[in-house]
Amino acid sequence: MRHAAAPVRPAPWTARPHAPGGRADGRGGTRTAVVVGGGIAGLTAATALAERGVAVTLVEAAPTLGGRVRAWPVEVDGSPTTMSRGFHAFFRQYYNLRALLRRADPALSRLRPIDDYPLVLAGGHRDSFAGLPTTPPFNLLAFVARSPSFSARSLAAVDAKAALGLLDVRFPQTYVEYEGQSAADVLDNLRFPAAARHLALEVFARSFFADPREFSGGELVAMFHTYFLGSAEGLLFDVPDDDYDSALWAPLGSYLHGLGVEVRTGVRALGVEDSGDQVVVSLDDGTSLRCDGTVLATDQAPLQQIVAHSEWLGDAGWRARVADRKVAPRFAVWRMWFDRPVAPGTPPFLGTSGFGPLDNVSSVHLFESGAARWANERGGSVVEVHAYAVPQSTGEPELRDELRSQLFVIHPELRDAGVVHEEWLVRQDCPLVSTEPWADRPEVTTPDPRVTLAGDGIRCNYPVALMERAATTGWLAANAHLARWGLPGHDVWTVPMQSRHGLAGTLRRVMPGRVGQAP
């Protein structure tokens, strides 16, 4: 039992607890659904529907499953191996994603723990999240007490009312309360110690591929609640023990096959047509799929294109909310296969601050089995660097030169190493979680109940983000259809939706000053 987590039972579960096979609306026959998108959100929705007896077809534009967390084959020095869009941390508060992964791996044996989440500041010190107490708020107090990023003088300057706002949360109202404020604004209003800003900005804001001046202050507060004050799991995490396809998505694909799900990869959805009681999803191979309901679980740009081509769906206001969504700035992933090992004691993952565009360094061979085999056979290493929120004015040659230079500051032992192979990619397709009104973000339900949305850019009431928001909205999107069809939904889990520290709210309300603003 997770003592830090509280179950959230959606209305489809409690209001309509029909046994599988029941028909609340009196219609017979097997229900049909099309899930568009084979990433985390789509895989979750397909699983949720198929487990309730719905005949599901899943269509995915890429050749493999996993979406933005997929892997694909590459050849390095004559040996087959894999590449991906980069390292992802599977935090232990990802309850709904883990529920999905347990379908194919009940013991989560393919996830391996990372002992620490170290952050190094250029020319300065290193912070660690290992060895902290597990009970809030003692975990936070212990971290602040031992971290070299905080001094007594800097803590004394923190604005008390703004700080109490971090302890006095109630979701989703907290998202609304911080509308118009960026993550940088929140820290400015807190008078957050300058030497410790990297702990908030590098850990949270840039993990969303966003500039802290554009990233939502409400999301920053939600993440602070999730990882520090609303749960006991802290900021430690697990990673797959091999590439994403081998460890996660191929086994889950086999599970879906066993449920009768038809998976069609390499096929892109173009639009959705109204067809009486049903809808028809048109595909770019010239075929179409008629179904009782569909879940659009694509990236943001494909969703906008599908809605644009489905002119009957929604009113002008809703369609504008979908069309107006923006993407986060570019990010770069550079994986290099070196002919030399990294230094002994190198952590599998290292967050960085102040090293130019370099945001983190992963030693992939220290946790992925395939990379480890290659490194052991060659006496080398597989190292990956990330750069988030890359300005449009930065050219790729300039970015590569600076990333290489900063990597060698952290790993001088690689300066003279040979690069056997490299994979470089730059993408700009992640949703921007910005400071706009929370209610302007598209939600799971749409104006037509036959169509639902899922993904990490889709709004839901819970303090979840990134891969966990994708999984959570996947469950919720499926639950909405199951409710219509008189079938039981699935439990959704979250950290507590409000503060567990009632005194903070009382003190905050009696102190002068506007909420979230320094006096």
Side-chain angles (χ1 to χ4, degrees):
M1 178 179 181
R2 300 184 180 95
H3 90 267
V8 174
R9 292 180 179 267
W13 179 275
T14 56
R16 307 183 72 177
H18 301 280
R23 295 286 169 216
D25 58 9
R27 284 184 55 182
T30 300
R31 294 292 182 171
T32 58
V34 173
V35 176
V36 181
I40 290 173
L43 290 168
T44 305
T47 298
L49 293 166
E51 287 182 345
R52 298 298 186 250
V54 178
V56 178
T57 301
L58 184 150
V59 295
E60 163 57 40
T64 56
L65 298 175
R68 298 201 305 273
V69 194
R70 74 183 186 94
W72 57 91
V74 297
E75 186 174 290
V76 177
D77 196 25
S79 299
T81 185
T82 61
M83 177 60 183
S84 72
R85 290 165 52 112
F87 175 92
H88 285 75
F90 287 67
F91 287 100
R92 294 162 193 173
Q93 294 88 346
Y94 285 2
Y95 309 129
N96 299 311
L97 174 56
R98 287 168 178 257
L100 172 68
L101 299 179
R102 286 184 190 277
R103 266 49 182 198
D105 180 13
L108 296 180
S109 60
R110 301 306 302 267
L111 294 181
R112 60 189 304 172
I114 298 297
D115 294 333
D116 195 8
Y117 185 168
L119 296 172
V120 62
L121 190 63
H125 55 264
R126 180 179 296 211
D127 277 293
S128 167
F129 292 98
L132 295 174
T134 58
T135 303
F138 302 109
N139 52 355
L140 177 62
L141 295 174
F143 176 75
V144 171
R146 81 177 191 189
S147 171
S149 297
F150 296 93
S151 67
R153 176 177 295 182
S154 66
L155 289 172
V158 169
D159 178 71
K161 184 178 180 69
L164 287 172
L166 300 178
L167 304 176
D168 181 28
V169 296
R170 184 182 298 270
F171 293 96
Q173 293 93 322
T174 293
Y175 289 127
V176 177
E177 186 175 298
Y178 284 87
E179 286 177 356
Q181 295 187 58
S182 69
D185 292 334
V186 170
L187 297 186
D188 289 343
N189 294 333
L190 278 167
R191 296 197 290 263
F192 201 77
R197 287 177 75 94
H198 69 286
L199 294 172
L201 298 182
E202 306 304 331
V203 172
F204 296 129
R206 297 183 70 84
S207 296
F208 287 77
F209 310 100
D211 187 300
R213 294 165 295 183
E214 296 182 309
F215 177 61
S216 163
E219 294 283 349
L220 178 69
V221 174
M223 296 301 94
F224 185 84
H225 171 69
T226 295
Y227 294 109
F228 285 112
L229 295 174
S231 72
E233 289 89 349
L235 265 170
L236 300 183
F237 53 82
D238 305 313
V239 294
D241 64 2
D242 208 344
D243 68 87
Y244 297 125
D245 189 61
S246 298
L248 305 178
W249 311 132
L252 188 60
S254 296
Y255 175 77
L256 290 175
H257 179 75
L259 291 174
V261 175
E262 179 186 358
V263 177
R264 298 178 61 179
T265 57
V267 181
R268 186 180 304 275
L270 300 178
V272 181
E273 302 170 15
D274 184 6
S275 182
D277 291 339
Q278 296 183 307
V279 293
V280 176
V281 179
S282 57
L283 307 176
D284 68 353
D285 63 358
T287 64
S288 60
L289 298 169
R290 180 180 298 272
C291 59
D292 296 311
T294 184
V295 179
L296 304 181
T298 68
D299 284 340
Q300 188 162 283
L303 172 63
Q304 291 168 323
Q305 294 164 4
I306 290 171
V307 170
H309 283 89
S310 309
E311 297 180 358
W312 63 276
L313 181 59
D315 58 20
W318 180 83
R319 295 174 65 82
R321 286 199 288 129
V322 174
D324 291 346
R325 299 295 296 156
K326 297 180 175 60
V327 292
R330 296 181 300 158
F331 70 93
V333 177
W334 192 4
R335 185 176 293 188
M336 290 161 278
W337 285 257
F338 288 102
D339 63 3
R340 295 186 186 180
V342 294
T346 294
F349 176 82
L350 179 68
T352 62
S353 179
F355 291 85
L358 180 64
D359 282 293
N360 56 62
V361 181
S362 303
S363 294
V364 183
H365 61 285
L366 296 181
F367 51 87
E368 281 194 9
S369 298
R373 284 192 298 272
W374 185 91
N376 291 335
E377 291 170 0
R378 306 298 199 283
S381 55
V382 183
V383 178
E384 179 180 282
V385 298
H386 289 195
Y388 302 143
V390 177
Q392 291 294 340
S393 59
T394 301
E396 290 191 25
E398 173 190 353
L399 178 60
R400 288 168 68 107
D401 287 345
E402 185 63 16
L403 287 173
R404 182 187 292 108
S405 175
Q406 297 296 342
L407 173 64
F408 294 156
V409 171
I410 295 172
H411 285 289
E413 72 277 12
L414 296 178
R415 187 178 300 275
D416 296 323
V419 178
V420 178
H421 184 79
E422 62 182 358
E423 292 283 333
W424 166 267
L425 64 85
V426 176
R427 296 289 186 271
Q428 188 175 6
D429 55 7
C430 298
L432 177 62
V433 185
S434 65
T435 62
E436 83 279 286
W438 181 78
D440 284 355
R441 303 177 193 173
E443 60 271 49
V444 168
T445 57
T446 75
D448 191 294
R450 295 169 298 176
V451 181
T452 59
L453 309 180
D456 61 342
I458 302 303
R459 188 183 91 207
C460 69
N461 290 341
Y462 312 134
V464 293
L466 301 171
M467 294 190 293
E468 180 67 353
R469 180 172 287 157
T472 302
T473 55
W475 293 115
L476 295 175
N479 280 348
H481 289 299
L482 295 172
R484 290 194 302 117
W485 301 331
L487 299 172
H490 298 264
D491 280 355
V492 173
W493 288 75
T494 178
V495 298
M497 296 284 285
Q498 64 187 58
S499 172
R500 308 191 323 177
H501 314 284
L503 180 60
T506 301
L507 291 173
R508 186 187 187 206
R509 285 185 285 275
V510 301
M511 295 180 72
R514 189 167 76 84
V515 167
Q517 297 289 330

